[in-house]
C-alpha cells in the first residue's frame, strides 16, 4: 500500500477511535462494544505497521485481526439484532467458529505464519450475514445503525476477497502487491467515513 | 523472501473466492426474497388498517343517518301529524249542520292557528334538514346565520370572523359546503350541550390553496385520553365529513380549559 494511503488510513481510524472514546460514557451497550472493537483493531493495525516498517513478517498478526474482528463484531451484532432466530444463529457461530479454528491450528500449526484462507472466509462471511440480518430488520423501520452496518457490510465483503488472495500476493513482486493493497486502503477509508457518519448521527441524538 | 506461488495455492485461492461469491450471491438472493415478503406483509397490514378505518367511518355515517331519520320521524309525528289530526277533527266538526255561529268562528280560528303552526313547524324541519340560506346565499352567510342563531345576548356569544367572506370558500366545491357547515354546527352543538360554553370563536383563514377554520370555546373541555377511548358519534361524524373533504381535523382540549379545534383542507 502506498505510504500516504496507509497514513490516511491510520489517521482516520484514530480520529474515529478518539471521537467514540470521547462520547464513551453516553454511549449505549452496542456502541461501547463497537468502540472497543475500534480500539482493538487500531492496536493490531499499529503493531502490524510497526512490524512492516521494520521489515519483519507480520502475517501472523492477521489471525488476531480476523479473530478479534469476528469476536467483537459478533458481540456488537448480538446486542443490536432483535429476532431470536438470528441471535441463536449468531451464538452458534460464536461457539463453532473458534472451535473449528482451534482444531485447525492444532493439527496444522504452520498455518499460523501465512494467511489462513478458511479463517478469513468464515470470520468475514459470518459478519456479512449478520449485517444482512440487520438490513432485513430495519426494513420499514427507523434506520438505526444504518451507516455503521453499511460500512461493515461493504468493507468486510470487499476486503475478504482481497485477503483471500493474500497468500499469493505476498509472494509476488512488491510493486504488484502494493497496487492491490491500495484497493484495500481505499475500501478502508470508505469504511471509516461510514463510521464517522454514524458518529455524527449519534452525536446529534445524544 | 521471494517464494514462487505454487499451483496448489492458486487453486485454493480460486476455490475460496468462488465459494465466497456463490455464497454471497445466495445470501443476497435469500435477503431479497425475505425482504420482499416482509415489505408485502407490512403493506398488507397498512391496507388492513386503512380498510378498518374506512369501515369505522362508514359505520359512523350510517349511524348518523339512522339517528337523523329517527329525529325526522319524531318531528313529523309530534309536530306535524298530531297537529294535522287536530285540524282534521276540527274540519269534521265544521261540517256538522247545527253548529252555533259562535262555535263555528272559534273552530275556524283554531284551524287557522294550528295550520299556521304546522306550516311553521314544517318550515323549521326543512330548515334543519338543509338550511335554505346555504343554498341561496352560500356558506359564509349560512355560517353567519348559524352563529347568530346560537347567540343569545350576554349568556351565549358566538363570534364569527371571516375577512374574505364568501370569497374564502370560492375554491371549494359547493358539494362540500354542507360538510363544512355540518362540522361547525356539530362543534357548536357540542360546545353548548356538553361544554357549557358561553363564548365561542370561529375564525376562517384562507389562502389561495388552503382553508383553515379555527374553533375555540371557553367550555369545560374534556380529557383527551378519556375521549380517545369513546369517540362519540358526533366526533366520528365530524371525522368522516373531514375525510370527505380530504382535509384534516384536529381537536385539542384540556379539562376545564375549553376546546381548540382546527379544520384544514
Amino acid at each position: 500500500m502506498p505510504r500516504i494511503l496507509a497514513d490516511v488510513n491510520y489517521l482516520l481510524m484514530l480520529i474515529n477511535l478518539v471521537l467514540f472514546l470521547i462520547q464513551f460514557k453516553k454511549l449505549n451497550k452496542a456502541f461501547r462494544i463497537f468502540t472497543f472493537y475500534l480500539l482493538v483493531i487500531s492496536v493490531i493495525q499499529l503493531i502490524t505497521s510497526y512490524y512492516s516498517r521494520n521489515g519483519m513478517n507480520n502475517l501472523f498478526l492477521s489471525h488476531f485481526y480476523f479473530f478479534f474482528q469476528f469476536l467483537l463484531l459478533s458481540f456488537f451484532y448480538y446486542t443490536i439484532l432483535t429476532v431470536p432466530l438470528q441471535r441463536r444463529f449468531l451464538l452458534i457461530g460464536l461457539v463453532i467458529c473458534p472451535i473449528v479454528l482451534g482444531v485447525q491450528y492444532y493439527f496444522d500449526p504452520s498455518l499460523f505464519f501465512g494467511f489462513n484462507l478458511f479463517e478469513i472466509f468464515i470470520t468475514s462471511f459470518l459478519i456479512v450475514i449478520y449485517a444482512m440480518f440487520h438490513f432485513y430488520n430495519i426494513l420499514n423501520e427507523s434506520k438505526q445503525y444504518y451507516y455503521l452496518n453499511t460500512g461493515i457490510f461493504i468493507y468486510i465483503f470487499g476486503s475478504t476477497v482481497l485477503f483471500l488472495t493474500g497468500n499469493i500476493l505476498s509472494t509476488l513482486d512488491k510493486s504488484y502487491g502494493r497496487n492491490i493493497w491500495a484497493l484495500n486502503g481505499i475500501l478502508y477509508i470508505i469504511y471509516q467515513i461510514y463510521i464517522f457518519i454514524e458518529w455524527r448521527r449519534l452525536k446529534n441524538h445524544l | 523472501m521471494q517464494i514462487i506461488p505454487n499451483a496448489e495455492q492458486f487453486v485454493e485461492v480460486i476455490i475460496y473466492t468462488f465459494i465466497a461469491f456463490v455464497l454471497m450471491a445466495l445470501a443476497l438472493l435469500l435477503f431479497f426474497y425475505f425482504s420482499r415478503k416482509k415489505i408485502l406483509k407490512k403493506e398488507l397490514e397498512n391496507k388492513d388498517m386503512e380498510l378498518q378505518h374506512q369501515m369505522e367511518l362508514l359505520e359512523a355515517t350510517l349511524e348518523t343517518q339512522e339517528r337523523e331519520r329517527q329525529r325526522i320521524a319524531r318531528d313529523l309525528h309530534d309536530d306535524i301529524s298530531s297537529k294535522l289530526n287536530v285540524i282534521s277533527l276540527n274540519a269534521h266538526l265544521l261540517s256538522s249542520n247545527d253548529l252555533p255561529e259562535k262555535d263555528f268562528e272559534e273552530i275556524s280560528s283554531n284551524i287557522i292557528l294550528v295550520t299556521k303552526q304546522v306550516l311553521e313547524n314544517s318550515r323549521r324541519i326543512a330548515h334543519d334538514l338543509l338550511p335554505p340560506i346555504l343554498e341561496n346565499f352560500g356558506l359564509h352567510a349560512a355560517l353567519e346565520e348559524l352563529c347568530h342563531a346560537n347567540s343569545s345576548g350576554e349568556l351565549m356569544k358566538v363570534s364569527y370572523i371571516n375577512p374574505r367572506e364568501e370569497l374564502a370558500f370560492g375554491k371549494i366545491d359547493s358539494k362540500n359546503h354542507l360538510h363544512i357547515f355540518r362540522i361547525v354546527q356539530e362543534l357548536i352543538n357540542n360546545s353548548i350541550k356538553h361544554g357549557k360554553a358561553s363564548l365561542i370563536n370561529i375564525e376562517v383563514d384562507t389562502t389561495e390553496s388552503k382553508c383553515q377554520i379555527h374553533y375555540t370555546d371557553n367550555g369545560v373541555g374534556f380529557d383527551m385520553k378519556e375521549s380517545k377511548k369513546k369517540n362519540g358519534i358526533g366526533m366520528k361524524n365530524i371525522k368522516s365529513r373531514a375525510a370527505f373533504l380530504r382535509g384534516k381535523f384536529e381537536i385539542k382540549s384540556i379539562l376545564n380549559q375549553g376546546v381548540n379545534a382546527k379544520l384544514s383542507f
Side-chain angles (χ1 to χ4, degrees):
Chain A
M1 196 183 329
R3 192 60 181 273
I4 175 85
L5 198 58
D7 288 341
V8 171
N9 271 204
Y10 294 134
L11 186 69
L12 289 177
M13 181 181 78
L14 290 176
I15 289 173
N16 275 338
L17 176 63
V18 170
L19 290 177
F20 272 87
L21 281 175
I22 289 171
Q23 303 283 351
F24 192 78
K25 273 192 175 166
K26 292 187 211 159
L27 298 178
N28 63 17
K29 199 175 161 198
F31 277 118
R32 284 184 178 193
I33 294 172
F34 190 76
T35 311
F36 196 59
Y37 157 76
L38 284 180
L39 179 71
V40 171
I41 291 302
S42 300
V43 170
I44 295 178
Q45 296 251 38
L46 290 177
I47 298 174
T48 310
S49 151
Y50 173 79
Y51 268 67
S52 118
R53 271 159 217 227
N54 289 302
M56 295 187 269
N57 184 346
N58 57 14
L59 279 186
F60 73 95
L61 284 164
S62 73
H63 310 299
F64 296 104
Y65 177 82
F66 287 116
F67 185 72
F68 280 112
Q69 174 168 274
F70 167 73
L71 199 67
L72 293 169
L73 285 183
S74 288
F75 289 149
F76 170 72
Y77 278 111
Y78 189 73
T79 51
I80 69 169
L81 292 179
T82 45
V83 180
L85 197 70
Q86 297 169 350
R87 284 166 72 106
R88 209 174 308 145
F89 181 87
L90 193 149
L91 278 184
I92 292 170
L94 202 54
V95 174
I96 300 277
C97 183
I99 292 176
V100 173
L101 289 177
V103 170
Q104 203 192 11
Y105 281 118
Y106 179 77
F107 286 107
D108 187 2
S110 71
L111 282 173
F112 199 68
F113 300 100
F115 277 122
N116 176 357
L117 297 193
F118 178 73
E119 175 189 71
I120 295 169
F121 171 71
I122 194 74
T123 53
S124 307
F125 199 72
L126 284 174
I127 297 297
V128 169
I129 298 279
Y130 305 154
M132 276 184 157
F133 282 166
H134 187 64
F135 274 131
Y136 172 78
N137 292 347
I138 58 174
L139 280 176
N140 299 331
E141 321 260 324
S142 69
K143 302 231 174 303
Q144 261 205 321
Y145 307 108
Y146 176 71
Y147 293 99
L148 205 53
N149 197 45
T150 311
I152 292 173
F153 182 79
I154 293 174
Y155 175 69
I156 302 272
F157 184 66
S159 69
T160 301
V161 176
L162 291 177
F163 282 126
L164 283 177
T165 60
N167 271 347
I168 294 179
L169 289 182
S170 63
T171 62
L172 290 180
D173 189 87
K174 272 209 168 149
S175 61
Y176 294 112
R178 207 172 276 159
N179 288 338
I180 292 180
W181 288 126
L183 287 179
N184 189 51
I186 292 165
L187 210 57
Y188 198 75
I189 290 176
I190 295 172
Y191 182 33
Q192 294 299 328
I193 290 171
Y194 270 107
I195 295 175
F196 180 72
I197 296 173
E198 185 74 45
W199 179 81
R200 278 287 301 270
R201 260 173 59 108
L202 176 72
K203 193 171 158 270
N204 293 338
H205 284 94
L206 284 178
Chain B
M1 183 174 65
Q2 180 85 358
I3 320 157
I4 315 272
N6 56 33
E8 212 176 287
Q9 266 183 322
F10 261 123
V11 171
E12 205 186 357
V13 165
I14 291 169
I15 288 176
Y16 269 107
T17 317
F18 172 75
I19 294 174
F21 268 95
V22 169
L23 285 183
M24 189 65 202
L26 201 71
L28 276 175
L29 282 178
L30 283 175
F31 174 75
F32 286 130
Y33 173 75
F34 284 110
S35 301
R36 239 179 83 83
K37 248 175 124 172
K38 192 179 175 187
I39 291 169
L40 282 178
K41 199 175 147 205
K42 189 92 182 182
E43 267 175 19
L44 222 62
E45 273 172 21
N46 285 345
K47 278 267 175 342
D48 271 355
M49 262 169 67
E50 217 172 274
L51 217 64
Q52 176 104 20
H53 182 66
Q54 276 173 356
M55 284 291 283
E56 269 169 24
L57 285 184
L58 193 68
E59 237 168 66
T61 316
L62 287 176
E63 209 175 323
T64 326
Q65 197 182 33
E66 262 337 292
R67 278 178 176 229
E68 200 61 12
R69 282 186 180 167
Q70 276 173 18
R71 195 181 64 79
I72 299 165
R74 206 173 45 234
D75 280 0
L76 285 177
H77 179 265
D78 296 352
D79 296 344
I80 310 279
S81 304
S82 60
K83 292 212 159 56
L84 282 176
N85 258 338
V86 174
I87 294 171
S88 154
L89 208 71
N90 281 326
H92 268 293
L93 284 177
L94 278 184
S95 63
S96 55
N97 296 326
D98 50 351
L99 202 67
E101 187 71 12
K102 199 179 139 227
D103 282 359
F104 185 85
E105 263 173 35
E106 199 190 317
I107 289 169
S108 45
S109 70
N110 198 17
I111 288 177
I112 292 166
L113 181 76
V114 177
T115 312
K116 260 190 192 161
Q117 281 176 355
V118 171
L119 269 176
E120 177 59 35
N121 283 339
S122 66
R123 222 185 43 191
R124 186 179 53 75
I125 292 169
H127 184 280
D128 282 353
L129 286 177
L130 180 73
I133 188 168
L134 185 65
E135 217 154 73
N136 298 333
F137 299 99
L139 181 57
H140 170 69
L143 287 175
E144 211 166 32
E145 198 232 40
L146 178 71
C147 294
H148 184 72
N150 279 295
S151 299
S152 53
E154 286 303 305
L155 283 173
M156 181 73 220
K157 222 175 153 185
V158 185
S159 81
Y160 172 65
I161 303 165
N162 179 5
R164 293 182 66 206
E165 303 200 339
E166 205 57 60
L167 276 176
F169 308 110
K171 289 253 158 130
I172 302 156
D173 192 343
S174 58
K175 272 190 224 153
N176 288 334
H177 284 184
L178 186 63
H179 291 309
I180 300 168
F181 181 82
R182 290 290 185 222
I183 290 174
V184 176
Q185 193 176 34
E186 182 70 42
L187 285 171
I188 294 178
N189 280 347
N190 283 347
S191 291
I192 295 172
K193 216 162 114 192
H194 306 298
K196 314 265 181 291
S198 64
L199 185 70
I200 296 173
N201 267 314
I202 300 166
E203 215 170 303
V204 181
D205 179 16
T206 55
T207 60
E208 279 305 308
S209 57
K210 230 179 160 194
C211 179
Q212 282 192 337
I213 299 179
H214 299 273
Y215 180 97
T216 48
D217 76 18
N218 68 344
V220 294
F222 54 84
D223 190 348
M224 294 285 285
K225 277 182 204 149
E226 206 125 294
S227 74
K228 230 173 204 165
K229 281 184 243 155
K230 42 167 193 172
N231 235 333
I233 181 99
M235 203 46 75
K236 272 189 195 159
N237 195 8
I238 290 178
K239 285 201 171 135
S240 62
R241 284 186 193 278
F244 277 125
L245 289 170
R246 296 189 187 285
K248 219 167 102 186
F249 177 76
E250 289 164 83
I251 187 158
K252 277 185 226 145
S253 181
I254 301 171
L255 215 53
N256 294 323
Q257 286 182 35
V259 169
N260 190 336
K262 193 170 92 180
L263 174 70
S264 46
F265 46 90

